[in-house]
Amino acid sequence: MLTCKEFLAELSDFLDETTRDEMRARLERHLSQCPNCWVVCDTTRKTIQVYKGLDSCDLPEDVRDRLLAAVERKIASHGEGS
Ligand SMILES: [Zn+2]
């Protein structure tokens, strides 16, 4: 099974759906067995949807940058200590 660190390293590709089939299957297996990564994945997916939705609004660039930085910090903090 993948470690959480390996999972998180692949997470952005996974959410972009650019992961190869074999890796995708391993990621999905990890997700089904690791509630921690499931939460991170779910939260990140939702945040990305919000973030993409912001492209159609006229949000100041610095606000979008801060939002993205917050997401990245969240992902990074979950990758530690496991
Ligand atoms: Zn995990």
Side-chain angles (χ1 to χ4, degrees):
M1 175 162 137
L2 290 175
T3 64
C4 293
K5 202 175 170 187
E6 287 168 327
F7 177 86
L8 293 169
E10 298 289 335
L11 181 59
S12 65
D13 283 350
F14 182 66
L15 293 173
D16 278 346
E17 302 188 355
T18 56
T19 318
R20 287 207 312 264
D21 284 352
E22 189 197 344
M23 178 55 84
R24 169 166 288 272
R26 294 175 70 192
L27 294 171
E28 280 170 354
R29 195 157 62 234
H30 184 94
L31 265 188
S32 70
Q33 293 170 355
C34 182
N36 209 22
C37 287
W38 189 88
V39 170
V40 176
C41 181
D42 191 53
T43 306
T44 307
R45 195 200 326 255
K46 284 175 185 158
T47 310
I48 287 171
Q49 279 167 359
V50 171
Y51 184 72
K52 282 182 175 166
L54 296 178
D55 279 346
S56 52
C57 325
D58 253 343
L59 207 71
E61 211 168 286
D62 64 313
V63 175
R64 286 200 293 186
D65 285 351
R66 274 210 304 276
L67 184 63
L68 191 64
V71 174
E72 282 169 353
R73 263 201 312 278
K74 192 170 183 66
I75 294 171
S77 69
H78 276 277
E80 284 162 16
S82 50

